[in-house]
Amino acid sequence: MLQALYQTFGFPLSLLLSFVVFLLIILWLAGLAGLVISQQEEHTSRPLSIVLGVLFPFYPMGWLVWDMIQERRRYRE
């Protein structure tokens, strides 16, 4: 797969695309971990949010960004 990507886009673009995909996977996993940890801290079980996070990878990424914005607001106060 990487060889086909390299042959199609060349070295610089294939390296950039591979790095972006890697970052998206890391952010997806970090968002899922954050969703699970936040549910454990609140002692509530919301399996729907975890299912949405697994099926739609942009949901945990959006949640991660939203949570970082909320933390920044809390620290400013």
Side-chain angles (χ1 to χ4, degrees):
M1 185 171 113
L2 287 176
Q3 182 179 4
L5 185 68
Y6 175 74
Q7 289 174 351
T8 304
F9 296 113
F11 180 74
L13 288 178
S14 64
L15 183 65
L16 180 66
L17 187 61
S18 299
F19 183 68
V20 167
V21 169
F22 175 74
L23 282 178
L24 289 176
I25 290 171
I26 295 298
L27 287 174
W28 177 47
L29 292 174
L32 282 175
L35 283 171
V36 171
I37 289 173
S38 70
Q39 288 182 11
Q40 288 177 350
E41 288 176 351
E42 296 172 1
H43 301 293
T44 60
S45 177
R46 294 178 296 193
L48 181 62
S49 65
I50 295 174
V51 170
L52 284 174
V54 170
L55 294 178
F56 302 107
F58 292 109
Y59 173 69
M61 288 182 222
W63 177 86
L64 190 64
V65 171
W66 178 80
D67 191 47
M68 286 190 290
I69 291 170
Q70 294 298 324
E71 286 292 324
R72 183 177 178 195
R73 287 182 185 163
R74 281 187 218 136
Y75 285 130
R76 280 187 171 178
E77 294 177 353

